[in-house]
Every structure is written in C-alpha cells, then in structure tokens.
C-alpha cells in the first residue's frame, strides 16, 4: 500500500497534459475559423500541420538551438516562453507548454499572429508540399472518408529554416 503513495502524489503534483492525436476531419472542424485567414485555405492548413506535426499536439522538434511546439510547431525563439530559451521574445505572450494540450484556441491565435507577421513561409513545409493539389486534404465528413484518413505520418519534415 505504501508503494502506491508516491505514485498517487506524482499524479496529483504533475497532472497529465491532455494531448490529442487529431484526424484530418476532426482538425478540419476545429480549425474551420482559420479558413481564409491571410488568404490561406483550410486544406492548406490541414496539409501543412500534417507534414510538420502529424496532427499530434505533443510534437516537440529541436531546430537550430530552439524548439518548436504543438500542431503548428511554434518556436520558443520568438513566439512563446520556455525554460529552454528563457530570453525568448515571446511575441504570443504564452508558455510554449500551452501548445501541447488539446485546446487549440491559443495555438490558433498565435498561428494567426505568425501568419500576419511572417506569412505562410514560416512553415517551410507549406510551399513545397501544400500549395497545390489540395483535394486530398478536404474532409467530406462521409463515413468512408473518415475511414480513409490522410497518409501515414512519418515524422516532421526537416527543412532548413531560412
């Protein structure tokens, strides 16, 4: 009985982050308000997010001394605060850990700010992989479509940051 006490304390002191592995159709529904923002269509967002994070909210990628967090791979160098880079500019005024949960409200607000300031080229996967032939990234919400989700994610695309 005593051996379970430390485990219970760990569970209380460090609650699990509510992460989510989205499907294409789930994500399309959640991100529908981003459709058209900055001239970027929803299929472009869905495609880009697939290639950078595989629709997984807990994705963290190290990139040239900084880290990128969550579905949108938001960098702690400029956009969010982390212990890894305490001198971050934190332009979205948020902890990077907030991008690892299943609530995408803050992620979307920061992604819009990045889009407004840096354009879609911030996400390097967009131009080569998600700027044309976007039909496969549409979600028709039919039962068959839900069964036939996008191709298997093979890890974040590693492209050199410009």
């Amino acid at each position: 009985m005593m051996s379970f006490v430390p485990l219970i304390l760990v569970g209380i002191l460090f609650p699990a982050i509510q992460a989510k592995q989205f499907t294409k159709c789930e994500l399309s529904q959640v991100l529908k308000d981003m459709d058209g923002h900055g001239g970027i269509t929803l299929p472009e967002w869905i495609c880009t997010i697939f290639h950078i994070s595989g629709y997984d909210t807990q994705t963290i990628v190290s990139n040239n001394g900084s880290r990128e967090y969550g579905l949108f791979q938001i960098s702690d160098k400029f956009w969010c605060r982390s212990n890894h880079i305490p001198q971050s500019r934190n332009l979205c005024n948020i902890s990077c850990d907030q991008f690892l949960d299943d609530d995408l409200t803050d992620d979307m607000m920061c992604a819009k700010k990045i889009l407004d300031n840096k354009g879609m080229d911030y996400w390097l996967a967009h131009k080569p992989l998600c700027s044309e032939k976007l039909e496969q990234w549409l979600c028709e919400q039919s039962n068959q479509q839900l069964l036939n989700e996008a191709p298997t994610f093979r890890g974040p695309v590693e492209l050199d940051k410009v």
Side-chain angles (χ1 to χ4, degrees):
M1 178 74 177
M2 289 301 289
S3 63
F4 291 110
V5 172
L7 289 175
I8 292 171
L9 286 176
V10 168
I12 292 170
L13 295 175
F14 302 102
I17 293 175
Q18 294 297 312
K20 180 151 179 75
Q21 175 75 46
F22 283 91
T23 67
K24 175 176 66 176
C25 291
E26 288 173 330
L27 196 55
S28 293
Q29 186 62 32
V30 174
L31 298 182
K32 66 183 177 216
D33 291 339
M34 293 190 72
D35 189 22
H37 185 88
I40 305 302
T41 66
L42 188 56
E44 286 176 276
W45 282 115
I46 299 301
C47 174
T48 301
I49 291 169
F50 174 79
H51 287 293
I52 63 174
S53 65
Y55 306 145
D56 185 349
T57 63
Q58 285 197 317
T59 301
I60 300 175
V61 174
S62 294
N63 186 2
N64 295 327
S66 66
R67 291 185 182 152
E68 298 171 348
Y69 293 79
L71 286 179
F72 291 97
Q73 289 296 277
I74 297 172
S75 173
D76 63 359
K77 188 172 184 179
F78 297 105
W79 302 102
C80 60
R81 177 184 66 258
S82 75
N83 292 333
H84 181 253
I85 299 187
Q87 71 277 16
S88 169
R89 294 192 51 208
N90 193 14
L91 296 173
C92 288
N93 196 31
I94 191 169
S95 169
C96 299
D97 292 337
Q98 294 296 309
F99 299 135
L100 302 176
D101 62 18
D102 63 348
D103 179 0
L104 300 185
T105 306
D106 44 20
D107 308 53
M108 291 166 50
M109 287 175 49
C110 189
K112 286 178 179 179
K113 184 177 272 193
I114 293 169
L115 181 64
D116 293 343
N117 285 280
K118 295 290 183 182
M120 201 63 185
D121 288 343
Y122 172 84
W123 293 279
L124 297 177
H126 175 260
K127 193 170 191 175
L129 301 171
C130 304
S131 56
E132 56 186 42
K133 298 183 182 175
L134 297 169
E135 298 81 22
Q136 69 176 320
W137 304 104
L138 292 170
C139 181
E140 301 301 327
Q141 291 292 338
S142 70
N143 289 338
Q144 189 60 38
Q145 183 73 23
L146 290 171
L147 294 174
N148 298 325
E149 281 294 325
T152 304
F153 178 63
R154 292 181 177 85
V157 172
E158 293 190 20
L159 301 170
D160 293 328
K161 291 276 184 186
V162 177

